[in-house]
Amino acid sequence: MQPNYSTLLKQLKQLGAANPGEPPGIEQWMEFLEQVSNVCADMALDPGNAARIRPVSLSEIQELSSRIEETQRIAGLGDWSFDRKSGQGKWSRECYRIFGLSPSAPMPTYKELSRQIHRDDRLYVKDRVEAALHDARKFEIEFRYHLPDGEVRWVRAIGQPVKNARGQVCRLFGTVMDVNSRKLIEVRQSMEHTVARLLAECDSPVEVIPEIIETICSTFGWVCGALWMPDKKAGLLRRAATWALPRPDIEQFFHNTPDQIPLPAGAALSSRTLRVARADWFPDASRGEHFERAKEAAATGLHGCLAFPLQAAGEILGIMEFFGLQPHEADRETMQSAHFIGRHIGQFFQRKQVEIALRESEAHFRALVEQASDSFYVHDMNGRFIDVNQRGCEGLGYTREELLSMSVQDIDLDLTTRELKKLTGKLTAGTPIARESRYQRKDGSTFPVEIRMGPIDINGRQHLLSLVRDVTERKEMQDHIQHLAYHDSLTNLPNRAMFNRHLCHAIDQAARHGKSLAVLFIDLDRFKYVNDTLGHDAGDRLLQEMSRRLSNALHGDLVARLGGDEFVVLLEDIHDSEHVSHVAQKILTALVEELPLNGQRIHITASIGVSIFPEDGEDEFALMKHADIAMYRAKDRGKNNFQFYSAYMSQHAAKMLALESSLRRAIEREELVLYYQGKVETRTGRISGVESLVRWQHPELGLLSPDQFIPLAEETGLIVPLSKWVLREACKQVCEWQRQNLPPLNVAVNLSARQFVDDHLLEDTALVLRELGMDPTLLELEITESMMMHNPEHTIQILQGLKAMGIRIAIDDFGIGYSSLSHLRQFPIDIIKIDRSFIQDVPGDPADEAITEAIIAMGKSLKITVVAEGVEKPEQLQFLSDLSCEEIQGYFFSKPLPAKDFTKLLWRNLAPVAVPSRRPAAK
Ligand SMILES: Nc1nc2c(ncn2[C@@H]2O[C@H](COP(=O)(O)O[C@H]3[C@@H](O)[C@H](n4cnc5c(=O)[nH]c(N)nc54)O[C@@H]3COP(=O)(O)O)[C@@H](O)[C@H]2O)c(=O)[nH]1
């Protein structure tokens, strides 16, 4: 049923008073107007209807229209109608106010209205109105409208077409509303939203600043703007970004003005804003007051100017400035908006800066992690991998994807579920963990690792970060160092430290189980000699070969090198001494085998001393010491044998030790004495020369023969100073005899093996001769065959050096060595002394006779003087005389005598001597 007038009035009253102070909504108005329109249309179609309507009084009409007017004023809403046929329209009073017109002014035509619509909205309004007329459809539009004073206002218009009986749109009616405030808020919100979006999507805020300036400019109607950034270090404000309407005159403004301003700069707008730290407005920048670029602004046509700081947490991160083409007074809303935008952009700037810094530091960290030589693994509390660096993948042979589908327990061989739980518990309690483990690669191989673990927060969740280092090399190095610490580097056998550890342990075990063990102390015989004569390289090779033979001879028993030529063997769980003897013999047999060294065949023997636990000692020190003493006993017993320790040996060893320490002091205490034994010509019976033989006048032990201390001197190195003393003393004595006008006498001095290889031999000998002024041809040096043959090249060199000085060379103990006659020819030899072992059984022993005869014959053919040693009996002298042996030496003529006695002998020898007549050799 159509509402009647009174119903409408009632509704109108309700509209105005529904919510006092609040204007009725546009929807309610439209509803109301539609009903009014329907009532009117009703009356137009059926005049009967009008008749049925109760007559309205004037006062009622006035009341109604004043109510409508009042309600529209409160609502800021005007209503209008337009008759299509007559072109006439009707505006309510509020419409005039909304469009800025006087209520008395004639209502503008549609054309006039269109001209005032904002250029950008004009076409849109036209299209929508035409469509509404064409389709008889309601329209709702919002557009900007230029008021007569130039102000732009946003309005919202709703129109409703009304059709006539023929269905044609004959009339439009509707409302118009001032929505400027809301619209401005919306526009600013949209601008702020755009600014926020631009900042959110950019990588660096400065990049999007031109776009932000453009957005702000288009919202506020500015034509250009710029961002200034403070550079505190340089004391400058720098223009970091600009935007200008694409008009050359406006763009020129930035080209014509400086892009940096010194700080602090009073009049400069940007620096002023920086100082006041809030939005700053210049109604007309071109007028020069407080604006340093006024001239350029005027030239460009820039007037209104706004600058505001970009602030965050009290810090000013930049200044933005904007210019408009019109002088413009400051308005509160814009200032507020500027303040808001400034804060907003400032916060974004700061956040972005933090983000960038964070991203950079993350990238830096990531790069570091990726480049790290260590592996990084991140896994969750259940062990599932969350992240891994490149090294972590390479180290295990898995791809990143493979690892991310695995658990740390798949690779950490020592990490049980229980262990993992324990670790995560500790780590979440904040205790960092360092542990060692073994990791397994994809190919199944394993390697030792060192792991440092700590908690790490990723996206708010706690995970565990493991920094893993492959310590294979370090472990190998440690093993190697450990090996070096416990092994001998030359032979790779265990060393003394290792042997002692094992021995201690073995003694413990044997003591606990009531078993026996044996320590075999092995010393190579004549090693020092080989080393000195053949050189250290040969000595090293010999030791390596001996070590190999020892290891081969002992199946699993511990063999160690103690140093030098000393080795030691541990035999555990021995049953009886035969067992030990068997092993010792096996060792001797293995070592003595021929060894080619420097082109020579060497036969090395060993002396072995044995001590038994528990009989010979209850700890490692006693066992080692007693085995050592037993070894010396084996040496004394002619070498190449083994000896079991006995208490007697200790006493003997103690004696030797005491002897050694007193031998050290024997030279300075002048306890050494030289004895002299003459060499006699068989033909004349005259003493042709003399051999010096050292003795030690020991204060307690009496006169000691060289056999009792020379080996000890050799062993300890004391032979070198001892030999020097002998050489000087013998030469001195020869000089003394000469001084006594005795006939010139050759003196023979024995050279020790060590002395023969001493680098200073030639030098030392020459010095003695020079200092004593002695004729070098009177000196004979005696060396043995073996000394010569061990290093023939060296021998030749030394002998030639001695010969060059005029010294004569004799081969001592000739015949017992293995040198062949052809070998002898290469050496510059003057004298051969036949060893007394051949002489003692001649005549009588055909072999010794033959050898002696051959040596004498060879000497003759090589023009070498032959001396027979150890001649004790007249028949020996006769035998040698018959073979035309030139010289003899032995007790038959004289035992070695002290210098004083030998001097007497020399004087006596000056008288005629009876000699055996030489008989022709029986063939
Ligand atoms: N490096 C040095 N060695 C030296 C020195 N002085 C001696 N020696 C060597 O010591 C060994 C023993 O010497 P010694 O006890 O003096 O014996 C010598 C003679 O006494 C002994 N001899 C001499 N004639 C006879 C004899 O008729 N019968 C017999 N039973 N013995 C005799 O022979 C030794 C001399 O031998 P050699 O030197 O081979 O000519 C001995 O090897 C000495 O070389 C020294 O200062 N430095």
Side-chain angles (χ1 to χ4, degrees):
M1 194 185 96
Q2 293 293 350
N4 57 26
Y5 165 77
S6 49
T7 319
L8 285 177
L9 187 61
K10 216 163 135 193
Q11 278 185 7
L12 184 61
K13 276 182 187 169
Q14 280 168 355
L15 273 177
N19 297 309
E22 257 187 50
I26 207 160
E27 296 301 329
Q28 289 127 307
W29 264 111
M30 285 307 293
E31 202 181 308
F32 172 71
L33 289 173
E34 197 175 348
Q35 286 179 21
V36 172
S37 176
N38 288 341
V39 171
C40 296
D42 242 17
M43 286 192 289
L45 289 172
D46 182 2
N49 277 346
R52 280 192 297 277
I53 294 172
R54 175 177 71 81
V56 181
S57 71
L58 187 61
S59 66
E60 277 181 324
I61 289 171
Q62 278 171 346
E63 188 197 340
L64 180 59
S65 55
S66 76
R67 278 234 177 236
I68 289 173
E69 210 171 283
E70 179 62 10
T71 314
Q72 288 198 350
R73 195 186 56 74
I74 293 167
L77 179 88
D79 73 281
W80 53 270
S81 66
F82 174 73
D83 187 86
R84 212 178 171 189
K85 196 174 171 194
S86 67
Q88 294 296 306
K90 217 175 170 194
W91 274 13
S92 72
R93 207 179 173 80
E94 188 59 19
C95 284
Y96 282 94
R97 202 195 57 75
I98 289 170
F99 287 109
L101 294 171
S102 159
S104 57
M107 182 191 158
T109 63
Y110 178 71
K111 243 188 188 161
E112 285 167 337
L113 269 176
S114 289
R115 267 204 302 274
Q116 290 301 106
I117 292 174
H118 192 284
R119 199 177 49 203
D120 294 349
D121 302 341
R122 210 172 286 157
L123 196 60
Y124 160 72
V125 173
K126 183 174 170 267
D127 286 351
R128 295 296 305 271
V129 171
E130 280 176 3
L133 291 173
H134 183 266
D135 303 335
R137 237 183 332 139
K138 184 179 161 186
F139 69 82
E140 279 184 40
I141 48 174
E142 286 182 348
F143 58 90
R144 279 163 293 179
Y145 186 83
H146 287 279
L147 302 186
D149 67 356
E151 191 196 327
V152 176
R153 175 171 289 170
W154 278 94
V155 294
R156 183 181 186 206
I158 298 177
Q160 175 70 57
V162 178
K163 287 186 202 165
N164 60 17
R166 293 193 302 277
Q168 292 166 330
V169 175
C170 59
R171 201 167 66 88
L172 270 176
F173 73 94
T175 58
V176 62
M177 193 178 189
D178 178 352
V179 292
N180 201 43
S181 310
R182 177 182 58 79
K183 205 61 193 175
L184 280 182
I185 290 170
E186 273 179 25
V187 168
R188 282 176 191 179
Q189 276 177 347
S190 150
M191 181 259 306
E192 286 162 13
H193 178 77
T194 307
V195 169
R197 182 182 53 75
L198 286 170
L199 287 169
E201 288 171 359
C202 72
D203 284 332
S204 154
V206 176
E207 277 173 19
V208 287
I209 287 296
E211 218 175 320
I212 288 175
I213 297 173
E214 183 184 357
T215 307
I216 296 172
C217 281
S218 61
T219 304
F220 290 109
W222 307 106
V223 292
C224 62
L227 166 70
W228 295 82
M229 304 276 281
D231 180 344
K232 286 179 189 158
K233 259 195 196 156
L236 290 171
L237 256 183
R238 292 185 200 283
R239 197 162 59 203
T242 59
W243 178 86
L245 259 188
R247 266 175 47 183
D249 54 338
I250 297 174
E251 287 168 337
Q252 206 54 36
F253 175 66
F254 290 124
H255 293 136
N256 293 342
T257 50
D259 57 4
Q260 57 186 44
I261 308 167
L263 280 176
L269 169 70
S270 309
S271 53
R272 197 177 85 166
T273 312
L274 189 68
R275 206 171 57 246
V276 296
R278 58 180 157 74
D280 207 7
W281 191 290
F282 281 77
D284 191 350
S286 70
R287 289 179 57 198
E289 257 173 278
H290 307 305
F291 190 71
E292 79 289 358
R293 290 166 285 166
K295 214 170 84 198
E296 291 86 351
T300 315
L302 301 180
H303 295 282
C305 172
L306 167 70
F308 58 85
L310 310 182
Q311 293 196 66
E315 194 189 349
I316 296 182
L317 304 166
I319 306 287
M320 288 188 97
E321 62 178 11
F322 297 90
F323 297 90
L325 294 174
Q326 303 298 328
H328 208 309
E329 285 302 323
D331 84 71
R332 229 181 86 238
E333 284 77 22
T334 308
M335 292 292 261
Q336 269 179 356
S337 192
H339 177 74
F340 175 82
I341 295 168
R343 285 197 169 275
H344 199 68
I345 299 178
Q347 279 163 7
F348 253 96
F349 255 55
Q350 195 181 51
R351 208 177 315 148
K352 277 285 169 190
Q353 277 176 0
V354 171
E355 267 176 37
I356 288 167
L358 196 69
R359 218 179 304 145
E360 279 173 0
S361 84
E362 269 177 14
H364 185 63
F365 175 70
R366 185 85 214 169
L368 276 179
V369 163
E370 285 304 334
Q371 284 163 21
S373 56
D374 293 331
S375 303
F376 286 83
Y377 302 97
V378 178
H379 58 79
D380 64 16
M381 296 295 173
N382 297 318
R384 286 259 141 229
F385 285 118
I386 304 292
D387 200 1
V388 55
N389 71 346
Q390 186 59 24
R391 183 78 197 88
C393 300
E394 288 165 4
L396 292 168
Y398 287 107
T399 63
R400 190 177 142 79
E401 288 65 37
E402 283 172 331
L403 272 178
L404 294 187
S405 66
M406 293 167 65
S407 154
V408 65
Q409 284 180 273
D410 294 331
I411 57 162
D412 191 328
L413 297 181
D414 299 342
L415 191 65
T416 59
T417 308
R418 206 159 146 236
E419 181 73 8
L420 177 63
K421 228 176 182 172
K422 231 165 77 183
L423 286 180
T424 52
K426 276 192 190 171
L427 287 167
T428 42
T431 321
I433 286 172
R435 53 187 282 269
E436 291 197 350
S437 188
R438 278 173 312 124
Y439 269 20
Q440 186 166 41
R441 296 188 188 90
K442 190 177 180 180
D443 64 9
S445 59
T446 63
F447 58 101
V449 288
E450 186 185 77
I451 309 166
R452 272 176 287 149
M453 295 178 87
I456 185 170
D457 195 303
I458 297 179
N459 300 330
R461 295 193 64 182
Q462 262 228 328
H463 298 297
L464 300 179
L465 170 70
S466 295
L467 171 60
V468 178
R469 181 168 294 180
D470 180 341
V471 290
T472 306
E473 267 180 36
R474 202 185 67 197
K475 287 267 177 212
E476 281 172 1
M477 185 60 81
Q478 277 172 353
D479 290 349
H480 183 61
I481 290 168
Q482 177 87 351
H483 185 86
L484 287 183
Y486 287 103
H487 287 80
D488 168 51
S489 58
L490 178 68
T491 61
N492 208 28
L493 286 178
N495 63 10
R496 184 188 291 271
M498 170 95 140
F499 184 83
N500 281 349
R501 267 169 58 158
H502 274 263
L503 180 57
C504 274
H505 180 72
I507 290 171
D508 271 1
Q509 292 295 310
R512 197 167 300 156
H513 301 105
K515 295 190 169 171
S516 291
L517 59 82
V519 173
L520 280 70
F521 204 109
I522 305 164
D523 189 280
L524 302 183
D525 302 329
R526 293 202 322 142
F527 170 73
K528 281 188 178 59
Y529 184 78
V530 173
N531 204 35
D532 289 345
T533 53
L534 294 190
H536 292 271
D537 286 349
D540 286 351
R541 286 204 302 283
L542 185 144
L543 288 170
Q544 285 167 336
E545 175 58 17
M546 293 302 123
S547 305
R548 197 186 60 76
R549 290 183 187 182
L550 268 174
S551 302
N552 288 349
L554 300 158
H555 302 291
D557 298 307
L558 181 66
V559 54
R561 181 182 172 213
L562 300 181
D565 58 349
E566 292 176 347
F567 298 85
V568 65
V569 170
L570 172 64
L571 298 183
E572 291 185 70
D573 199 10
I574 54 167
H575 306 295
D576 48 38
S577 56
E578 267 172 43
H579 173 191
V580 183
S581 303
H582 173 73
V583 175
Q585 191 52 58
K586 218 167 124 186
I587 291 171
L588 292 175
T589 313
L591 297 185
V592 82
E593 245 177 64
E594 186 180 272
L595 168 69
L597 211 59
N598 282 10
Q600 294 186 43
R601 294 171 189 164
I602 305 286
H603 290 266
I604 282 287
T605 57
S607 301
I608 303 176
V610 183
S611 63
I612 306 284
F613 172 85
E615 293 88 326
D616 302 334
E618 296 194 344
D619 59 33
E620 69 273 22
F621 303 107
L623 288 171
M624 290 291 278
K625 188 173 142 200
H626 293 160
D628 188 26
I629 289 171
M631 182 275 291
Y632 275 105
R633 182 70 180 156
K635 289 255 185 226
D636 289 346
R637 287 276 175 99
K639 304 173 180 166
N640 194 20
N641 71 96
F642 62 90
Q643 295 292 323
F644 282 88
Y645 172 77
S646 73
Y648 156 77
M649 290 179 187
S650 275
Q651 293 158 13
H652 179 73
K655 211 173 116 189
M656 291 306 287
L657 207 66
L659 202 64
E660 184 191 328
S661 78
S662 45
L663 181 60
R664 284 183 192 283
R665 296 187 298 267
I667 301 173
E668 55 205 63
R669 288 182 181 175
E670 297 182 347
E671 290 171 7
L672 296 179
V673 272
L674 278 193
Y675 273 49
Y676 298 92
Q677 186 177 38
K679 282 188 287 178
V680 178
E681 285 177 358
T682 47
R683 201 170 44 80
T684 63
R686 300 277 170 219
I687 298 173
S688 55
V690 60
E691 180 180 359
S692 66
L693 296 158
V694 70
R695 304 283 183 266
W696 180 10
Q697 187 62 57
H698 194 281
E700 287 137 33
L701 304 173
L703 192 68
L704 299 181
S705 75
D707 288 334
Q708 288 171 285
F709 63 90
I710 289 283
L712 187 65
E714 288 264 9
E715 197 79 25
T716 55
L718 288 169
I719 190 71
V720 176
L722 186 147
S723 302
K724 279 185 187 173
W725 180 86
V726 169
L727 178 71
R728 181 174 287 272
E729 202 58 29
C731 291
K732 255 162 77 180
Q733 187 58 58
V734 169
C735 294
E736 174 59 25
W737 286 325
Q738 266 187 305
R739 205 185 55 75
Q740 292 179 21
N741 287 325
L742 282 162
L745 207 61
N746 294 322
V747 65
V749 175
N750 290 283
L751 282 187
S752 72
R754 263 207 199 197
Q755 206 181 358
F756 190 58
V757 293
D758 183 7
D759 291 341
H760 305 290
L761 175 67
L762 297 180
E763 204 182 309
D764 289 350
T765 311
L767 183 72
V768 169
L769 294 171
R770 204 169 48 245
E771 280 179 1
L772 297 174
M774 177 178 155
D775 177 2
T777 57
L778 296 181
L779 179 62
E780 276 175 29
L781 293 178
E782 293 191 5
I783 57 173
T784 60
E785 273 178 283
S786 51
M787 275 159 67
M788 277 191 348
M789 299 315 292
H790 263 112
N791 191 348
E793 279 159 27
H794 174 257
T795 303
I796 291 172
Q797 206 186 335
I798 295 295
L799 295 186
Q800 279 172 348
L802 293 169
K803 290 288 297 170
M805 280 191 253
I807 297 165
R808 286 149 49 87
I809 310 296
I811 303 180
D812 203 1
D813 305 335
F814 189 79
I816 55 169
Y818 302 93
S819 51
S820 67
L821 298 180
S822 58
H823 267 132
L824 271 186
R825 297 182 61 179
Q826 55 183 318
F827 302 112
I829 306 297
D830 300 292
I831 302 151
I832 293 172
K833 294 179 83 176
I834 305 171
D835 190 73
R836 72 167 179 267
S837 59
F838 299 107
I839 304 301
Q840 78 186 9
D841 291 332
V842 294
D845 185 308
D848 288 350
E849 281 180 10
I851 290 169
T852 306
E853 191 179 346
I855 294 172
I856 294 168
M858 177 201 71
K860 278 194 194 316
S861 66
L862 292 175
K863 298 200 172 25
I864 295 174
T865 307
V866 177
V867 181
E869 286 190 286
V871 178
E872 294 179 354
K873 302 173 202 156
E875 52 271 33
Q876 289 169 330
L877 175 62
Q878 186 64 55
F879 175 80
L880 293 163
S881 177
D882 292 346
L883 290 175
S884 301
C885 176
E886 290 156 291
E887 293 181 14
I888 58 123
Q889 185 180 339
Y891 293 171
F892 176 72
F893 182 72
S894 164
K895 284 196 169 184
L897 297 171
K900 211 170 120 201
D901 298 339
F902 193 77
T903 308
K904 285 180 193 160
L905 182 68
L906 281 177
W907 283 114
R908 276 203 308 275
N909 189 247
L910 290 177
V913 182
V915 289
S917 55
R918 199 172 280 175
R919 297 173 301 190
K923 285 276 166 194

